[in-house]
């Protein structure tokens, strides 16, 4: 079998290892999440700077890009594609302030709205599948990082993050 040679070309364009963010951004836009979620996000104290939704989107995009902690936002906002999609992104300090500005009630309401969006999306993508079975799994992920957030000692005495996965 004859293989075609791989040709490498020079480019002056910025390249990104986070190309999947383009598809996530399209999904966010197609689901009209800004309109659906803006009422559940903290109200800004000042009219300047990026919107609460852009802060939320910056955090969501950072998870998709592989961020482990809020401090990773400082490095990620130097990445060209992330910076473009998140209107410059958000500093780790500003993200911390944003996350602390949520009330318990707004977090509960946001979670409920996100659940409704997910269920509606499922019904649109699988209209003939009326059986909804929610299965949950928890897997411990042992950590050694200094700045990892959300870690605790689990029942096996592991310093870890127990991921909670729910799927249908």
């Amino acid at each position: 079998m004859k293989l075609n040679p791989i040709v490498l070309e020079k480019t002056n364009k910025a390249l990104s290892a986070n190309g999947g963010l383009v598809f996530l951004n399209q999904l966010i836009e197609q689901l009209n999440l800004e309109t659906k979620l803006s009422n559940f996000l903290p109200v800004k104290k000042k009219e300047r700077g990026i919107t609460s939704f852009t802060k939320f989107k910056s955090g969501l995009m950072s998870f998709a890009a592989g961020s482990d902690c809020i401090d990773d936002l400082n490095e990620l906002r130097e990445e060209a594609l992330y910076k473009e999609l998140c209107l410059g992104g958000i500093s780790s300090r500003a993200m911390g302030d944003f996350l602390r500005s949520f009330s318990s009630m707004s977090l509960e309401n946001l979670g409920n709205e996100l659940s409704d969006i997910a269920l509606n999306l499922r019904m649109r993508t699988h209209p003939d599948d009326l059986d909804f079975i929610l299965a949950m799994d928890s897997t411990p992920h042992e950590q050694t990082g200094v700045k990892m957030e959300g870690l605790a000692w689990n029942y096996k005495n592991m310093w870890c993050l127990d991921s909670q996965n729910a799927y249908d």
Side-chain angles (χ1 to χ4, degrees):
M1 164 166 54
K2 184 180 177 190
L3 299 175
N4 293 328
I6 297 172
V7 179
L8 300 178
E9 298 178 13
K10 290 183 182 181
T11 182
N12 290 330
K13 295 180 180 179
L15 301 176
S16 174
N18 295 314
L21 295 182
V22 172
F23 301 107
L24 178 57
N25 191 61
Q26 288 174 346
L27 180 64
I28 289 168
E29 289 175 358
Q30 289 176 6
L31 290 174
N32 200 18
L33 288 187
E34 185 166 8
T35 301
K36 292 178 180 175
L37 299 181
S38 289
N39 290 335
F40 303 101
L41 300 176
V43 176
K44 288 181 57 169
K45 295 176 184 166
K46 299 177 183 175
E47 287 299 317
R48 60 186 174 84
I50 61 176
T51 66
S52 287
F53 181 76
T54 302
K55 292 175 184 178
F56 176 82
K57 178 180 167 183
S58 296
L60 183 63
M61 293 286 216
S62 74
F63 287 130
S67 293
D68 289 323
C69 65
I70 292 176
D71 283 347
D72 289 347
L73 289 168
N74 294 329
E75 184 177 327
L76 189 57
R77 59 193 297 225
E78 299 301 320
E79 204 271 337
L81 180 61
Y82 177 84
K83 185 187 272 187
E84 178 185 334
L85 296 175
C86 298
L87 306 177
I90 184 172
S91 70
S92 60
R93 181 177 177 178
M95 180 58 85
D97 292 343
F98 174 67
L99 293 174
R100 285 185 292 277
S101 69
F102 278 88
S103 68
S104 296
M105 181 60 79
S106 63
L107 283 175
E108 184 177 337
N109 290 337
L110 177 62
N112 290 338
E113 183 65 19
L114 289 169
S115 295
D116 288 347
I117 291 169
L119 287 171
N120 287 330
L121 183 59
R122 183 192 182 279
M123 293 302 294
R124 286 173 36 202
T125 57
H126 299 88
D128 298 328
D129 187 1
L130 300 179
D131 294 328
F132 180 75
I133 302 168
L134 182 64
M136 296 189 73
D137 178 41
S138 174
T139 303
H141 302 278
E142 195 164 12
Q143 302 293 327
T144 57
V146 176
K147 295 184 178 181
M148 292 290 295
E149 296 167 6
L151 301 177
W153 294 102
N154 74 355
Y155 67 97
K156 291 183 177 179
N157 204 29
M158 295 170 60
W159 182 244
C160 66
L161 176 65
D162 281 331
S163 63
Q164 300 292 322
N165 301 307
Y167 49 92
D168 172 24

